[in-house]
Amino acid sequence: MRDETAGPSVVQRASNGIVKGLQGQWEATVQEIFKPDAPSTFAKSAQWVYTQAGPAGIDCLRPANRSSLPISLLHPAFATFKYILTQPMPRNDSAVKATRTAWKLCTTMADHFQDENARKTALFTQLRPLFTDRALFSASFGSADPDGALVNSDGSIDAVVELKNEPGAAGDVYMQCARSFDALATSQLQDKQGAERSAFVISVDGPSLLICGGFKDRDPAVVEPLSQWCSMLPDDLGERQEVLGKHLYALQVSLYQLKTPPPGKVMKCPRIYKEFQIMDGSTQPFEFISPYKHLGSHCGLLFKAKTVTTNETEEEVLVKVVRGGYGEEAHRIIAENGFAPKLYGVARVDGAPPAYAMELLSERQLWMPLQRAWFKDLVIWDRLEAKITDFLHLLRKHRLVHGDLRPNNVLCRMHMETGDVQLGVLDWDWAGPHGIARYPLDRNPDANLPGDPGGLIDFDHDSTTLMRHFQQRKSSVIG
């Protein structure tokens, strides 16, 4: 019999060695899977299409499913950049310098250059006088060795620059630049330099320039163009120089906001909003909790947040970030009559879409979309139909239209004690006065809505759509 006090047997030692060896191989395999490509390798389509399908991918919109929150929602500097582009060019020294730089770039960057180093030298020579409080030179971090970095006096990197001598040379410079930012952010986060990292990302493809925003926390890096490509070609009318000059001016101004941390800290939620304005003009602070998706919703920019209501109690609210217009007045009127969630206010940040804070009608409160209504009692369906009729009459009374009364946008609930039915209509994006409100030009053709894209929304469109879906759901449940 073997002495139990003795050390491991030969077999046990061999087994332990095999396990450790397999463990080491597994760890090496995992590290290899998560190891990011070098930016120059990632720029090639045969490589990035593979990498983007795995855990080392970047949310940079290539392919289209590699998307995240819009970059203007993640840092105020990017929203400021976009806002400046919508405004007239000011008449100040900074604008003069940016315009002068644009004219020089459009004179030099159209030329032939022997190689990337020659083009880079010409580019940096023109850009350096624009950023006198920062250094512009080659840098190296992580797996990246970009053509240039715009470095602040404290050593922080405010912008990453990647360059191709001619368009299409050695892959996609935008993808290369995205990977360079990812390497920068990853290395600085590993060095405990904050909980998130933001920087501008500048791609130069021959005589074309693209300015992007880059953001990273513990999630994959997000890189997104902040505008269109700028052509650095001569123009006797000065139009191309004007466009490029405004982009350079917007970059120059927005760089100073990178040092200001965004007010929000919750992952997968907007970072730039901190308060919304209510009807009386006062402001109410709020904090995001998480993304939110109610049953049947098609909207990807819904979030749960918390705020303090007028009676000084904390309340969870729904925040909807809206691209384009919103039927705010229509929503308020209908909500005041009990057919829509209460609209508390709107948060606005220049350069970013507005965010509307409203009452949260949740599944926990027994709200359900019409398309999932399950009532087995015909009396309940009759009460629901009466509520729908009252809602449609209310729209006509106030000469309002909604435009998208598909069943996922119409919530209902029954009070178990009384059998009473409530209606809560969502998504007032297209709503407005009858004869003025129109369908969007990009309306989904599969939505099966009446009217035409870009056409006026009619009273009958709303009633026909809602009653058709009501009858279909009722028939499928009751028979």
Side-chain angles (χ1 to χ4, degrees):
M1 181 177 295
R2 181 176 180 272
D3 182 1
E4 296 295 332
T5 63
S9 68
V10 173
V11 174
Q12 287 174 323
R13 288 196 298 270
S15 298
N16 291 341
I18 292 172
V19 170
K20 288 181 179 179
L22 290 174
Q23 183 178 1
Q25 292 177 18
W26 169 250
E27 290 175 353
T29 301
V30 170
Q31 288 177 359
E32 185 64 27
I33 292 173
F34 282 85
K35 179 183 177 182
D37 307 312
S40 58
T41 303
F42 189 71
K44 297 168 183 169
S45 60
Q47 183 60 39
W48 70 249
V49 71
Y50 167 78
T51 303
Q52 289 291 77
I58 302 171
D59 290 338
C60 61
L61 308 175
R62 295 200 73 189
N65 66 342
R66 287 307 308 239
S67 61
S68 180
L69 291 179
I71 197 73
S72 60
L73 301 182
L74 296 177
H75 199 287
F78 305 136
T80 296
F81 182 95
K82 293 173 76 73
Y83 176 72
I84 290 174
L85 293 186
T86 67
Q87 302 302 302
M89 194 70 155
R91 297 294 188 263
N92 58 35
D93 290 343
S94 295
V96 170
K97 288 175 66 176
T99 302
R100 185 180 298 126
T101 300
W103 277 85
K104 290 180 179 179
L105 285 172
C106 288
T107 301
T108 59
M109 297 308 289
D111 292 344
H112 170 265
F113 291 91
Q114 188 67 32
D115 53 31
E116 284 188 9
N117 282 333
R119 183 176 288 278
K120 180 176 73 172
T121 299
L123 175 71
F124 286 9
T125 297
Q126 301 303 333
L127 287 180
R128 283 192 178 104
L130 190 61
F131 304 107
T132 54
D133 55 348
R134 290 172 175 83
L136 179 58
F137 52 78
S138 298
S140 179
F141 31 78
S143 61
D145 186 17
D147 289 298
L150 200 57
V151 183
N152 212 325
S153 57
D154 62 1
S156 60
I157 297 177
D158 290 345
V160 176
V161 184
E162 288 282 14
L163 178 145
K164 299 290 184 187
N165 188 26
E166 291 294 339
D172 184 346
V173 68
Y174 166 68
M175 298 298 278
Q176 183 167 332
C177 215
R179 176 57 83 196
S180 288
F181 167 76
D182 181 48
L184 163 68
T186 300
S187 65
Q188 294 196 337
L189 291 176
Q190 288 174 346
D191 291 340
K192 310 297 183 185
Q193 296 184 29
E196 69 268 331
R197 188 73 181 90
S198 301
F200 285 91
V201 181
I202 304 171
S203 304
V204 177
D205 203 15
S208 300
L209 179 143
L210 179 68
I211 300 176
C212 309
F215 178 89
K216 182 172 174 61
D217 50 18
R218 285 171 289 167
D219 277 345
V222 180
V223 177
E224 179 187 320
L226 292 169
S227 183
Q228 75 274 17
W229 283 90
C230 295
S231 173
M232 295 184 288
L233 296 177
D235 182 357
D236 289 342
L237 297 177
E239 293 174 351
R240 282 188 284 272
Q241 294 91 327
E242 182 178 335
V243 170
L244 178 60
K246 182 175 280 191
H247 280 72
L248 294 176
Y249 173 74
L251 176 62
Q252 188 184 31
V253 173
S254 304
L255 283 169
Y256 291 101
Q257 282 200 310
L258 285 176
K259 282 298 180 187
T260 304
K265 298 296 180 185
V266 179
M267 294 176 63
K268 301 184 187 301
C269 291
R271 307 295 184 97
I272 63 172
Y273 307 106
K274 59 181 179 179
E275 60 189 15
F276 59 84
Q277 187 175 50
I278 57 181
M279 282 289 288
D280 63 6
S282 61
T283 56
Q284 182 78 24
F286 71 105
E287 296 179 16
F288 285 95
I289 299 173
S290 66
Y292 182 79
K293 187 173 181 65
H294 72 75
L295 286 172
S297 172
H298 299 302
C299 179
L301 292 176
L302 295 176
F303 305 92
K304 197 156 56 167
K306 59 183 178 181
T307 187
V308 177
T309 59
T310 51
N311 59 2
E312 298 302 317
T313 59
E314 189 172 274
E315 178 182 346
E316 287 189 355
V317 298
L318 179 71
V319 177
K320 180 175 184 177
V321 178
V322 177
R323 181 183 69 86
Y326 190 76
E328 183 175 345
E329 187 62 24
H331 185 163
R332 288 192 190 280
I333 291 172
I334 301 304
E336 287 169 358
N337 286 271
F339 287 98
K342 299 172 187 174
L343 185 59
Y344 296 133
V346 57
R348 299 186 190 277
V349 174
D350 288 341
Y356 288 86
M358 64 192 75
E359 181 184 8
L360 176 62
L361 307 183
S362 67
E363 298 168 50
R364 189 174 58 190
Q365 301 165 327
L366 302 182
W367 287 98
M368 69 186 80
L370 177 59
Q371 64 196 41
R372 302 198 182 197
W374 50 268
F375 312 123
K376 296 295 184 180
D377 190 339
L378 188 59
V379 173
I380 302 300
W381 284 101
D382 290 342
R383 290 174 181 170
L384 181 56
E385 184 173 9
K387 283 290 184 182
I388 289 173
T389 301
D390 290 344
F391 164 67
L392 293 171
H393 286 163
L394 184 65
L395 285 177
R396 283 182 176 268
K397 175 184 175 182
H398 291 279
R399 298 196 58 77
L400 297 171
V401 288
H402 184 282
D404 191 9
L405 291 175
R406 288 176 289 174
N408 55 292
N409 290 333
V410 180
L411 302 186
C412 56
R413 73 169 174 179
M414 181 187 70
H415 291 273
M416 304 300 292
E417 300 82 5
T418 63
D420 290 340
V421 175
Q422 281 184 277
L423 205 64
V425 179
L426 310 177
D427 284 7
W428 293 85
D429 303 40
W430 307 346
H434 181 264
I436 296 177
R438 292 179 176 272
Y439 293 108
L441 292 171
D442 61 350
R443 192 185 74 177
N444 185 354
D446 296 330
N448 193 25
L449 291 169
D452 300 312
L456 290 169
I457 304 171
D458 192 76
F459 290 131
D460 291 339
H461 295 172
D462 283 341
S463 57
T464 300
T465 300
L466 183 50
M467 292 308 299
R468 170 166 53 88
H469 287 294
F470 168 79
Q471 293 297 344
Q472 288 175 350
R473 184 59 185 173
K474 176 182 175 184
S475 298
S476 68
V477 176
I478 298 294

